[in-house]
Amino acid sequence: MSESRRVEIEYCTQCRWLPRAAWLAQELLTTFETELTELALKPGKGGIFVVRVGDEVVWDRREQGFPEPTAVKQAVRDRVAPGKSLGHSDKPAPE
């Protein structure tokens, strides 16, 4: 299991993206309720919406657009609980 099981969602306060960040946080906490040690919401500026596991950026809105929850769950799962099934939302890993 990855050493860091802390997730951080940094969101733009100017864009009023707190509800989006909070909803994504709820989705991650529900899915990984025993795997995560912490989930933080970090206010930011300038259109930022970034999801990190530890120090690693796993989703950046500027590069990838707004995430679907399934995509973020897969990215987080791959780092904190690689063997965990995400059920119907799970896609096979690319070969």
Side-chain angles (χ1 to χ4, degrees), residues 26-82:
Q26 178 182 323
E27 288 288 312
L28 291 172
L29 287 169
T30 300
T31 301
F32 301 104
E33 61 188 348
T34 60
E35 290 87 2
L36 297 181
T37 56
E38 180 180 0
L39 194 145
L41 295 176
K42 181 179 178 181
K45 295 183 178 177
I48 194 163
F49 197 92
V50 172
V51 180
R52 294 180 184 87
V53 176
D55 294 329
E56 181 185 359
V57 173
V58 299
W59 199 276
D60 187 337
R61 182 198 65 82
R62 289 191 179 121
E63 296 174 9
Q64 299 159 284
F66 275 112
E68 288 296 321
T70 300
V72 175
K73 286 179 186 182
Q74 289 169 349
V76 170
R77 183 266 320 269
D78 291 347
R79 285 149 183 91
V80 301

